[in-house]
Amino acid sequence: MAFEPAFLATILPELILLTTGCAVLVMDLYLNDEQRVWNHNLSILGLAATLGCVGLVGSGEVTFAFSDTLVRDPFGDLLKGIILILTILTFVYSRDYMRERGLWVGEYHVLILFATLGMLIMVSAHSFLTLYLGLELLALCLYPLVALDRDSKPGAEAAMKYFVLGALGSGMLLYGISMLYGATGSFDFTEVAQVVTAEGMENKILVFGLVFVLIGVAFKFGAVPFHMWLPDVYQGAPMPVVLFLSSAPKIAAFAMATRILIDSLGALQADWGEILIILSVLSMGLGNLVAIAQTNIKRMLAYSTISHVGFIFLGLLAGTSEGYAAAMFYTVVYSLMAAGAFGVLAIISVKGVEIENLDDLKGLNDRDAWLAAMLALMMFSMAGVPPAVGFFAKLLVLDAVVSIGLTWLAVVAVVFSIIGAFYYLRVVKFIYFDKPAQESPLRLAGDARIAISVNGLAVLFLGIFPASLLGICNAAFAG
């Protein structure tokens, strides 16, 4: 009986979110178009309750559930909280956009809620089996979200590409997991780590399993050369779906990489670290160089995402607790920056106007100075310009690789970061120095303006006071 409170504390956030998703699914059957706001309100209320529960049960103590296949720990609590905040922001930013296009339906809310549930399961996973179940729940919700606009041919094409390539990536990951199971006889991360520590690279099945698992992780991140799906999906999907896809799932992907590479395969760090060096350089190089040539804002930010994945890998490949904390810090702040950038684009895509190309941003400052400032802040932060938090995030991962003697890698990262600054500053130039195609001022709901303000100020606050988040990231990897 003494185990019951710990068991409940471990699974309570997921239970609340599951209940919310089921309630929205059933309630939508009885709502007409004018009453869809109840789906929106109940979804945000359920996410807020889940977020409060994560904070309430997050005592710092590690607890397990379901025969040690789920774990609750400080690492998971932070990532769950960020995922839930990003999902709430997604709903707030997307309301007017989806309503004007006839996409503000129950399926949209339900799919995002269950995708979020899948991410929480991934973060809490203490077994390869649980991790894969959470990953598939996430993926199977994202595929129809990309194709939510049934009249959009690019959306249908993007969803099909995502489905086919996503199935390939999941298959690679599952094949790697099966090989690790064959080599170790267990799905449990702790038990796998014990066998890996004892046998190491002498077990060739472990080697093959490691390679296939890394391919699966790289695909879910969108790292080169497994990035093929990312630009097409970003371009074809509705803006709020891209907003969601670019932020919260990156947190879940980082959790998956951490649980697999550090918790279970940490003894092979010298081996998978070398592979991550290659993936990191390729991602930073191709992402930044190809982004320069893009005229579509979604595709430009897609290649920007690829380059940021390269920076996240810099922290992971360092193999130190400081490096892991830096990678976690970078992932969290990148997700906030991506949510803010796509949030502004979703807010200004009003009255049937779709913000697709860079030219569509011309003169945004003349139409709404505050939204222009928020988008410019996100661009400066992604480029790594102080005092925005993107500068400190880059500094942390660069310090991590320099501390292990990979100074050349840090130099390469700085060079590509300077190259990447061009296309971010180009967006700022369009916002402030070009004349708008239409002079009409933008009108947006009060909650969206408050949300984008909080999002932007968080990016600025974390840049000035980074220790507030960095301390939590360091504590997650302490010991």
Side-chain angles (χ1 to χ4, degrees):
M1 296 296 292
F3 180 71
E4 289 182 1
F7 176 85
L8 186 62
T10 305
I11 66 169
L12 191 57
E14 287 82 357
L15 279 179
I16 294 175
L17 193 57
L18 174 62
T19 304
T20 303
C22 293
V24 172
L25 183 63
V26 173
M27 188 174 70
D28 184 63
L29 298 172
Y30 302 97
L31 299 179
N32 56 37
D33 290 341
E34 288 74 25
Q35 297 170 327
R36 299 292 183 198
V37 69
W38 288 104
N39 286 333
H40 177 81
N41 294 339
L42 181 59
S43 298
I44 292 181
L45 185 63
L47 288 165
T50 308
L51 180 61
C53 179
V54 170
L56 189 64
V57 302
S59 61
E61 180 185 351
V62 179
T63 58
F64 295 90
F66 297 119
S67 302
D68 293 353
T69 58
L70 281 177
V71 63
R72 195 213 57 74
D73 54 10
F75 169 82
D77 290 338
L78 173 61
L79 295 189
K80 284 181 186 179
I82 299 298
I83 287 171
L84 292 166
I85 290 171
L86 292 169
T87 308
I88 292 173
L89 289 176
T90 299
F91 280 131
V92 174
Y93 291 149
S94 65
R95 184 180 63 182
D96 291 342
Y97 180 102
M98 303 302 274
R99 178 186 281 164
E100 290 178 359
R101 289 158 178 79
L103 302 175
W104 209 45
V105 291
E107 296 93 311
Y108 170 68
H109 297 88
V110 170
L111 287 171
I112 286 187
L113 288 173
F114 280 110
T116 306
L117 176 62
M119 288 186 276
L120 297 193
I121 293 172
M122 289 173 67
V123 171
S124 298
H126 195 251
S127 159
F128 281 107
L129 192 59
T130 317
L131 179 72
Y132 190 77
L133 288 174
L135 175 65
E136 285 305 288
L137 177 57
L138 169 64
L140 292 174
C141 292
L142 292 180
Y143 300 147
L145 276 173
V146 172
L148 194 63
D149 186 356
R150 288 175 290 182
D151 297 327
S152 170
K153 289 183 179 179
E157 179 185 344
M160 185 57 68
K161 287 180 180 178
Y162 190 24
F163 175 72
V164 173
L165 293 174
L168 179 63
S170 296
M172 291 286 192
L173 178 65
L174 189 59
Y175 189 55
I177 291 173
S178 67
M179 297 184 86
L180 292 177
Y181 176 75
T184 63
S186 177
F187 286 120
D188 184 86
F189 290 152
T190 304
E191 295 175 7
V192 169
Q194 292 171 351
V195 176
V196 170
T197 302
E199 299 186 8
M201 296 297 284
E202 295 178 3
N203 190 328
K204 298 306 177 188
I205 299 178
L206 270 180
V207 177
F208 280 101
L210 170 64
V211 171
F212 280 105
V213 163
L214 267 176
I215 291 174
V217 169
F219 180 90
K220 297 306 175 184
F221 264 113
V224 177
F226 311 104
H227 66 287
M228 304 80 68
W229 60 275
L230 204 63
D232 291 333
V233 170
Y234 276 37
Q235 184 177 2
M239 191 70 77
V241 175
V242 182
L243 191 169
F244 182 67
L245 194 63
S246 66
S247 54
K250 292 293 181 289
I251 303 285
F254 175 78
M256 178 175 72
T258 302
R259 299 293 191 194
I260 293 176
L261 298 180
I262 301 173
D263 290 358
S264 62
L265 301 176
L268 302 179
Q269 191 278 329
D271 304 290
W272 55 255
E274 293 178 355
I275 300 175
L276 287 187
I277 290 176
I278 299 171
L279 296 178
S280 176
V281 172
L282 289 176
S283 298
M284 290 186 294
L286 185 138
N288 282 312
L289 292 174
V290 179
I292 293 174
Q294 303 304 312
T295 57
N296 183 289
I297 184 69
K298 287 182 176 179
R299 291 187 75 89
M300 189 203 83
L301 289 174
Y303 284 105
S304 161
T305 298
I306 295 169
S307 70
H308 286 292
V309 167
F311 275 93
I312 293 170
F313 282 176
L314 288 180
L316 289 175
L317 65 87
T320 62
S321 59
E322 292 79 11
Y324 300 149
M328 185 177 184
F329 184 90
Y330 198 106
T331 307
V332 170
V333 300
Y334 168 71
S335 297
L336 289 173
M337 294 186 295
F342 282 109
V344 173
L345 296 178
I347 290 171
I348 62 179
S349 295
V350 292
K351 298 180 180 177
V353 177
E354 194 73 27
I355 303 298
E356 286 280 350
N357 299 313
L358 290 170
D359 289 343
D360 297 330
L361 295 173
K362 286 182 176 180
L364 177 61
N365 182 58
D366 295 336
R367 303 182 65 199
D368 194 305
W370 184 245
L371 285 181
M374 291 297 101
L375 184 56
L377 177 60
M378 299 304 164
M379 294 298 106
F380 282 128
S381 187
M382 287 185 178
V385 177
V389 70
F391 167 77
F392 199 81
K394 283 182 167 62
L395 183 64
L396 285 174
V397 294
L398 292 175
D399 179 64
V401 294
V402 169
S403 66
I404 61 168
L406 294 177
T407 308
W408 68 269
L409 185 57
V411 172
V412 169
V414 169
V415 169
F416 283 130
S417 186
I418 293 171
I419 294 172
F422 168 77
Y423 57 85
Y424 293 122
L425 298 179
R426 181 174 58 181
V427 173
V428 177
K429 179 256 183 187
F430 279 124
I431 293 173
Y432 284 100
F433 299 105
D434 288 1
K435 293 295 181 182
Q438 52 179 323
E439 300 286 347
S440 58
L442 290 167
R443 295 180 180 178
L444 64 153
D447 56 349
R449 187 176 289 277
I450 293 172
I452 193 63
S453 301
V454 171
N455 195 336
L457 293 176
V459 168
L460 194 57
F461 175 83
L462 290 173
I464 299 172
F465 304 103
S468 55
L469 176 60
L470 184 59
I472 302 174
C473 295
N474 282 322
F477 291 101

